[in-house]
Amino acid sequence: MAQPDASADLLAPAPWVEERGAKIRITAVRTFLTAPHGCPHLIVRIETNDPGLYGLGCASDPQRTLAVRSVLDDYVAPMLAGRDPDDIEDIHRLLLNSAYWRGGSVTGNALGGVDVALWDLKAKRLGAPLYSLFGGRVRTGAAAYTHVDGADAEEIADKVAAAREHGFDHVRIQAAVPGADTYGSHGAAVDPAAVRARRVPWDSAGYLRTVPAVLARVREIAGDGVELLHDVHERLDPRQAREFLRRVADVGLYFVEDLLAPEDAGHFARLHAVSPVPLAVGELFHDTAQFLPLLDGPAIDFARIRIPTLGGLTPARKIAAVCELRGVRLAPHGPADVSPIAQAATLALDISSHAFGVQEAATFKLAAHDVYPGTIVPQGGSLVPRETPGHGVDFDETAARRHPVPEPLGHDRWALLRNTDGSVQRP
């Protein structure tokens, strides 16, 4: 991987750095690929001329991993060599502008990895937990939700009860649609190998016939003492989405996630105005500007920020501030393809923001705990930050090498999906 020359002349140097006599400089930006949980994680390590002072970030994009790594190694790393890592806002804007054609998820994830690493480095330098840099704590822990699924309401309700025994008051429930490739559920009566090969179609009509009734039955069995969530995963068009909301209006869902794809976000205001069901969206957004029209109304109830893809904590904190002013809650994205480093960074925002609502919580495999010392584990249905300087999660390079990503990297097939008529469907 390319390593920057810290002695090279800086492009567009910050004029105040020499004036203030700063001594700390970035000497290297290193990237690592590892897969202790099965999905590829792209980790960024920013090193300095102060021995032992470094920051860790996550740039994971499972569908375009190698492209993000190229942006980091070939373009970003040379630009960072010799800079003062304290100037996070300045560096973020400089890197964002450097591509000229700004935006996109590949650039967003590259920026996100660098940005979180810089925040981690700054907190370590100050000897403080990362959340302290954001104004300190406003809550003890971040309420988290876990995932369950099943072939029918009874199976799902049993899993909800088990999740509650583990302390979770928020549970995302996904129901299988017989004969269809259904997001988030492994209970469909189809050939698993065919599903993995994406030869099983998505059936929106079957989904509308089946899932609302299953959700209603799960609520009936589980009772009102648990918050139930559901992820449509952008697989409905606006007409179908309106019908889905009508059918689940009495289920008492905490929120419905990704009812529409980002391309159809203009319909959220109309749906929000006519339905009592809370709406959550945003995990696919790679630009803060994508949130603004939805927060103006507001037209949503929860912002599903994904810190790596959004460009890191610097833009995420700004969205959190707007959410607080608009009465919208944060429900950050946090599956296993967001590494324990990204989870810890997201938790620092959760803990320090009055806008926080609920955090998606991945439970990582034991191998991930070896690669990421300090990995946070849900406690009683909540995530609690570590009190160590920085975000609190480290990275063991030796352990990471024991879990290489598969070659060729074919995780992009996960997003390939077709409808019953053969046309391409959003994943």
Side-chain angles (χ1 to χ4, degrees):
M1 67 190 72
Q3 293 300 321
D5 179 4
S7 64
D9 291 336
L10 292 179
L11 295 173
W16 55 84
V17 172
E18 295 302 328
E19 294 174 7
R20 72 186 180 199
K23 304 297 184 184
I24 301 296
R25 292 289 189 272
I26 295 172
T27 57
V29 178
R30 303 171 63 201
T31 59
F32 305 87
L33 269 178
T34 185
H37 196 87
C39 49
H41 290 163
L42 179 56
I43 304 304
V44 178
R45 177 178 165 124
I46 294 182
E47 299 177 350
T48 70
N49 57 351
D50 184 347
L53 179 61
Y54 60 90
L56 293 168
C58 172
S60 297
D61 177 345
Q63 278 70 50
R64 293 295 181 265
T65 307
L66 300 180
V68 178
R69 191 178 201 182
S70 175
V71 171
L72 286 163
D73 289 348
D74 300 328
Y75 301 99
V76 171
M79 288 190 65
L80 287 177
R83 296 192 188 276
D84 183 348
D86 195 54
D87 297 325
I88 299 175
E89 282 278 356
D90 182 66
I91 289 173
H92 194 281
R93 184 62 60 88
L94 195 72
L95 295 180
L96 180 66
N97 291 349
S98 71
Y100 186 61
W101 283 279
R102 296 175 287 281
S105 63
V106 171
T107 297
N109 279 281
L111 277 174
V114 167
D115 187 75
V116 167
L118 290 173
W119 280 108
D120 182 44
L121 195 158
K122 182 190 285 281
K124 288 174 178 174
R125 189 177 176 188
L126 296 173
L130 180 54
Y131 66 78
S132 293
L133 276 61
F134 305 153
R137 273 188 168 180
V138 299
R139 57 182 47 82
T140 302
Y145 71 86
T146 188
H147 305 165
V148 305
D149 70 283
D152 54 43
E154 287 68 26
E155 180 184 357
I156 296 170
D158 286 343
K159 292 180 178 179
V160 170
R164 298 209 65 195
E165 290 178 0
H166 285 89
F168 287 98
D169 293 325
H170 299 75
V171 184
R172 194 193 77 178
I173 55 176
Q174 301 299 121
V177 176
D181 185 329
T182 312
Y183 171 75
S185 177
H186 304 289
V190 292
D191 178 11
V195 172
R196 288 192 297 272
R198 304 308 251 177
R199 292 196 300 268
V200 178
W202 160 251
D203 180 3
S204 57
Y207 175 86
L208 285 172
R209 286 192 305 269
T210 303
V211 173
V214 172
L215 299 181
R217 178 59 180 154
V218 172
R219 169 61 75 193
E220 182 180 346
I221 298 172
D224 294 330
V226 59
E227 300 286 4
L228 300 178
L229 301 67
H230 178 69
D231 187 357
V232 176
H233 220 259
E234 59 175 309
R235 293 186 176 190
L236 298 177
D237 64 30
R239 178 193 63 81
Q240 296 164 339
R242 183 175 64 250
E243 177 62 18
F244 178 81
L245 290 179
R246 185 187 71 80
R247 296 188 185 195
V248 301
D250 296 328
V251 175
L253 294 172
Y254 185 73
F255 66 58
V256 169
E257 176 185 345
D258 284 351
L259 181 67
L260 296 172
E263 296 87 345
D264 292 332
H267 294 270
F268 272 109
R270 176 172 59 88
L271 296 174
H272 191 262
V274 300
S275 173
V277 181
L279 302 177
V281 72
E283 73 180 61
L284 274 75
F285 292 179
H286 54 76
D287 188 338
T288 53
Q290 292 174 281
F291 278 103
L292 295 181
L294 298 176
L295 297 178
D296 278 347
I300 58 173
D301 303 278
F302 292 88
R304 292 272 296 149
I305 60 173
R306 178 184 167 98
I307 281 181
T309 305
L310 196 58
L313 285 161
T314 295
R317 292 178 64 234
K318 295 169 185 177
I319 289 298
V322 177
C323 285
E324 181 179 346
L325 295 176
R326 295 296 188 185
V328 175
R329 295 291 185 179
L330 297 176
H333 188 240
D337 60 40
V338 174
S339 74
I341 288 173
Q343 184 187 68
T346 304
L347 181 57
L349 182 63
D350 298 340
I351 287 295
S352 61
S353 173
H354 286 290
F356 174 72
V358 70
Q359 170 68 53
E360 183 176 15
T363 300
F364 293 98
K365 295 178 180 178
L366 290 177
H369 291 253
D370 294 333
V371 174
Y372 304 101
T375 293
I376 296 169
V377 178
Q379 303 174 23
S382 294
L383 297 178
V384 179
R386 300 192 179 280
E387 295 301 312
T388 53
H391 51 54
V393 176
D394 209 342
F395 181 71
D396 187 323
E397 297 179 33
T398 301
R401 293 188 190 98
R402 294 197 292 267
H403 304 281
V405 299
E407 293 185 1
L409 244 178
H411 202 73
D412 55 348
R413 74 183 61 178
W414 178 89
L416 304 179
L417 188 64
R418 292 187 181 273
N419 291 301
T420 52
D421 66 357
S423 60
V424 173
Q425 167 62 40
R426 291 160 181 159

